[in-house]
Amino acid sequence: MSFLIRVQLPDSPGTLGAVATALGTVGADILSVDVVERGSGVAIDDLVVELPSGRLPDALITAAESVEGVEVDAVRPYAGVLDTHRELELVEEIAAQPSTGLTVLAEGVPKIIRAGWALVLHYADDGVHRLAASSAAPEASVTDLPWLPLERATVLDGEDTWVPDTWQELGTELAATPLGKPDRTLLVGRPGGPMFRAAEVARLAHFAGIVAVVLDS
């Protein structure tokens, strides 16, 4: 079974190699690596690893944190490998079928930023309307969103009063970005974490800006 493990580690030569060696001691095979954020001597990396049948994911945490200075932010099941070039393919797909572009966007975004689901919402005088949703998006209605309209991409408090109870129970991390206009928003959720890093939010905002131009062109 494959897992996505997010680690914080010293940004120094050999540290990632030491983590890879430690993971190897529990039979984990690293399939892909993506640098999420880097700065102040610390790197945040996402690793997709495959564990042999019968091994528990807790073994990944123990192994990774056996390396000095390494902390595991989160471990969760993950299908496939990290594809950091998926953005261009998704933009091309949206441009090829603009009539269903929002649906294509909602379905594709979680794969880009490793989220669980995505919603495209429209804020109007009569309330909030769901324009599109990924297949894994929760059915819970969200009509009272005090942070709309949204001027810039941001991380949202997953325990705020507007957040449905089911989302809170799953420990869902949330981020949102305007989709061309403050009244049209892309909301993404990551049940169970890890939290969205600043670099991920910036990436989400940049991508949403490109897609908005394509859809409105």
Side-chain angles (χ1 to χ4, degrees), residues 24-204:
T25 64
V26 297
D29 182 21
I30 297 179
L31 303 180
S32 56
V33 179
D34 183 31
V35 178
V36 176
E37 196 171 77
R38 176 169 284 156
S40 301
V42 176
I44 309 295
D45 290 354
D46 278 350
L47 294 79
V48 174
V49 301
E50 190 172 64
L51 268 181
S53 178
R55 287 278 189 174
L56 297 176
D58 287 354
L60 296 172
I61 300 175
T62 302
E65 292 189 342
S66 69
V67 179
E68 185 177 357
V70 174
E71 295 182 15
V72 175
D73 279 357
V75 176
R76 61 187 176 93
Y78 190 82
V81 297
L82 300 176
D83 182 1
T84 56
H85 303 291
R86 171 64 180 157
E87 290 100 326
L88 180 58
E89 295 177 6
L90 185 55
V91 169
E92 291 176 343
E93 190 176 351
I94 292 170
Q97 43 186 326
S99 62
T100 58
L102 291 180
T103 299
V104 174
L105 170 66
E107 199 64 54
V109 160
K111 300 172 186 176
I112 290 175
I113 61 168
R114 275 93 69 189
W117 50 262
L119 295 172
V120 179
L121 305 170
H122 178 248
Y123 175 79
D125 292 338
D126 61 345
V128 178
H129 304 275
R130 184 183 295 211
L131 300 181
S134 64
S135 55
E139 295 294 331
S141 176
V142 282
T143 55
D144 180 23
L145 300 180
W147 44 273
L148 285 178
L150 187 66
E151 295 293 338
R152 64 181 182 275
T154 186
V155 172
L156 300 169
D157 183 356
E159 297 182 353
D160 208 344
T161 54
W162 67 268
V163 180
D165 291 342
T166 51
W167 300 12
Q168 296 192 37
E169 290 166 1
L170 292 173
T172 305
E173 298 288 342
L174 300 166
T177 185
L179 192 55
K181 309 168 186 175
D183 61 357
R184 189 170 64 176
T185 300
L186 176 62
L187 173 66
V188 292
R190 190 181 270 164
M195 70 177 191
F196 286 97
R197 311 291 303 192
E200 292 180 296
V201 176
R203 182 180 180 187
L204 181 66

